[in-house]
Amino acid sequence: MWIRAALLLLLLPAAAHAETRPMAPDPTVLHDLAPTGTLRAAINLGNPVLAQGGPDGPAGVSVDLARALAARLGVPVAFITYPGAGAVSGSAGSGTWDICFLAIDPKRAEGISFTEPYVLIAGSYLVPDASPLRSPEAVDRDGVRVSVGRGSAYDLFLTRALTHAALVRAPTSAEAVTAFARDGLEVAAGVHQPLAAYAAAHPEVRLLPGHFMEIPQAMGLPVGRAAGAAYLAAFIAQAKRDGLVRRGLEASGQDPELAAP
């Protein structure tokens, strides 16, 4: 009996390794996700929750996911950084990247196939401390100018949602906050975390309570790559189950509770 038990113990590590070893993907999947032989990942540095720039290259949960996917595919990874989401979505189909990390939006879905979300972020409003505006619902009125990053998820959403307030578009989300402060605009819209950090450092402004939208962040690839889209969907589902998303958020100083269920 003890001999049999010892043999089982010896075999267990090998069996566990076999279970976790990534299987070689179908050639069609490789063609869809890494047609050049390298997985080219578009990284949006305009959303600091998902990616952060640094002297050694980009970091953050998006970068961790791209590396993990490349390892599973058995190919190298290259990061192509962009200053804002609009620049990423605007280059879909150009052949410059294979996967991206963006908020799901119906307009973007015309050119990008999205997975289920891996992170859920709130969209918030920033106003001057003396502003009469007290709730997100109060923003949509005549004479209110809302500063947004061009092509961002909240730009696309607010374009559809606001009927009275006017959108003032800046090249990036960070520049939208700068324009809000510089030009005396009534509101800045953006991702909750960087706006909250700005408000904490600038007592002359405040966040409105609540949020105007939930921003579901997902992985995506250009439309028309069905095999790659199915593989990517399974990959992100596994990354959420295995805790990779939560660990990536925490390692980059973000709240792991932002991970989508």
Side-chain angles (χ1 to χ4, degrees):
M1 181 65 73
W2 68 268
I3 295 176
R4 183 181 178 187
L7 286 172
L8 286 173
L9 287 172
L10 286 171
L11 289 172
L12 276 174
H17 181 68
E19 289 176 2
T20 57
R21 184 187 301 123
M23 295 179 63
D26 184 275
T28 307
V29 170
L30 276 176
H31 180 268
D32 282 356
L33 292 175
T36 66
T38 295
L39 179 69
R40 299 169 299 172
I43 302 297
N44 169 27
L45 295 179
N47 188 336
V49 174
L50 303 182
Q52 307 88 40
D56 299 323
V61 64
S62 296
V63 173
D64 293 344
L65 288 169
R67 286 199 174 108
L69 177 61
R72 180 170 295 189
L73 294 173
V75 298
V77 62
F79 299 111
I80 305 167
T81 58
Y82 293 85
V88 179
S89 59
S91 59
S94 67
T96 55
W97 52 261
D98 305 311
I99 61 166
C100 65
F101 300 84
L102 289 173
I104 300 170
D105 184 85
K107 182 66 177 176
R108 290 175 179 169
E110 295 173 5
I112 299 172
S113 296
F114 288 104
T115 66
E116 289 297 308
Y118 65 95
V119 163
L120 299 175
I121 302 174
S124 295
Y125 286 134
L126 189 71
V127 299
D129 187 53
S131 172
L133 302 176
R134 296 292 170 182
S135 70
E137 295 75 22
V139 167
D140 192 16
R141 62 176 65 177
D142 293 334
V144 171
R145 297 164 298 171
V146 182
S147 187
V148 296
R150 185 181 302 276
S152 63
Y154 30 93
D155 175 17
L156 299 176
F157 174 83
L158 293 174
T159 297
R160 297 187 294 267
L162 297 181
T163 58
H164 297 283
L167 293 176
V168 179
R169 295 177 175 89
T172 67
S173 297
E175 290 175 273
V177 177
T178 300
F180 157 77
R182 181 192 64 226
D183 300 335
L185 303 179
E186 287 74 29
V187 180
V191 171
H192 176 82
Q193 284 76 10
L195 291 187
Y198 184 89
H202 296 81
E204 71 277 10
V205 301
R206 57 182 167 84
L207 282 173
L208 291 183
H211 58 272
F212 63 86
M213 71 176 295
E214 184 176 69
I215 307 173
Q217 300 287 340
M219 293 182 73
L221 76 168
V223 295
R225 304 181 185 184
Y231 190 93
L232 201 60
F235 167 78
I236 203 65
Q238 187 68 47
K240 291 194 288 184
R241 286 195 299 270
D242 291 348
L244 176 60
V245 175
R246 292 180 63 90
R247 292 194 300 273
L249 287 166
E250 190 169 26
S252 57
Q254 307 302 318
D255 182 1
E257 295 302 317
L258 294 174

